[in-house]
Amino acid sequence: MNIQKVRQCFYDGNIWTKTQLSDETQLSLSSMTNILQELLKNQEIFFIGENASTGGRKSKQYVLNKDYRHILKMILKRQINGYEFICQNVNLFNQVISSQTVSSMYGQVDELILLMKKFLSADSSITMICLSIPGVCHDGYIDVCDFELFENVNLLEMIRDFYKNQIILENDVNIASIGFYHQYPKCQHLAFVYQPAVQYIGCGMIINGKLYNGFTHFAGELRYLPFYTSEQQNQMLETQPKELLEKQLSTLCCVFNPEMIGICSDVIDCLDDFHLNTIPFKHRPRMIHVKNMDSLIEDGLYQMSIQKILEEEKNDDKELY
């Protein structure tokens, strides 16, 4: 637990001294010496020099080894006339090492696997793959998905055939909600809603600072609310997108009662006159118009990956002791 406290500090990307770490974690200087020696031995952190003297002994400065691990972020994105695979290989500071975007007519699983293997063969430091899927993901199995050829596919099992390290598969809007929460960390109950022009609405929910999936990872699939059929929703996306979204969000408020909702719509340009008139005023959430969901997904993938890395290292520490 003490090692994890120190690791958490380094993953913020800042430079630390032993005294600063001791004050931040409330650990003794002697304990901090032992922990720093362990992290230096594993090359998780680097000694980068001494800070300027204030009259006493100069303090040694340490920083996270940003290349201790690399993370492969992969985003599956449905477009009006096709499909996209967006790949980013990043270090532990979320700095892009290499990237590639591939357009596809059909959005095939084999295309994703081939692209994944290309990045893995080029960089042996990739120890985690984190995928954003525009569909329902449960235990590595893809259910309803905007990439039709991914439906009813056990994607995790396919990746495990050639990659044995950590893998994360998560719904794209859920990942965006984590990125959105990272912008408003003091708001413990919030939702992020995406209304695409091509497919149906999706929603991610953060409860007590944690992503909520539901027991089959179906939570947030607002398209299945019993107000309109699929055909009616498609029609309303073209003619009455605001009315459709208001009804879906009102339902979300009644069931979840979020403090804040981030809204990204591909069909509504302005949300200034957006109202939830059926919800009593004091129970209405603050609504934030988000114009770029891609950046939230990229940040959400990074946040999920770092959290998973810290959990994995915590488990490794338990085995050592």
Side-chain angles (χ1 to χ4, degrees), residues 125-174:
S125 295
I126 296 174
T127 61
M128 174 166 292
I129 299 175
C130 196
L131 289 98
S132 167
I133 309 290
V136 178
C137 315
H138 188 212
D139 295 333
Y141 186 85
I142 311 300
D143 191 355
V144 182
C145 186
D146 293 349
F147 278 54
E148 293 84 358
L149 296 179
F150 278 70
E151 291 185 355
N152 302 316
V153 170
N154 191 329
L155 186 57
L156 180 62
E157 188 176 90
M158 294 182 67
I159 299 173
R160 283 269 179 244
D161 286 341
F162 61 89
Y163 185 77
K164 305 304 180 184
N165 291 323
Q166 192 66 253
I167 304 167
I168 299 174
L169 301 177
E170 186 56 83
N171 170 265
D172 56 351
V173 185
N174 283 343

Side-chain angles (χ1 to χ4, degrees), residues 52-93:
S53 174
T54 57
R57 179 182 296 179
K58 294 181 180 180
S59 298
K60 294 181 178 180
Q61 296 179 311
Y62 305 91
V63 69
L64 178 70
N65 175 7
K66 63 182 180 180
D67 293 309
Y68 178 62
R69 294 168 176 251
H70 291 165
I71 302 164
L72 181 59
K73 301 192 294 187
M74 309 194 77
I75 301 170
L76 277 62
K77 187 174 181 180
R78 179 71 181 268
Q79 300 287 17
I80 294 177
N81 297 318
Y83 307 81
E84 273 188 350
F85 299 99
I86 304 169
C87 301
Q88 289 184 347
N89 179 19
V90 302
N91 61 28
L92 294 179
F93 288 167

Side-chain angles (χ1 to χ4, degrees), residues 90-104:
V90 302
N91 61 28
L92 294 179
F93 288 167
N94 203 24
Q95 297 167 333
V96 177
I97 300 167
S98 59
S99 64
Q100 184 177 359
T101 298
V102 175
S103 298
S104 168

Side-chain angles (χ1 to χ4, degrees), residues 205 250-258:
M205 292 175 283
S250 295
T251 303
L252 181 64
C253 290
C254 292
V255 175
F256 173 33
N257 186 213

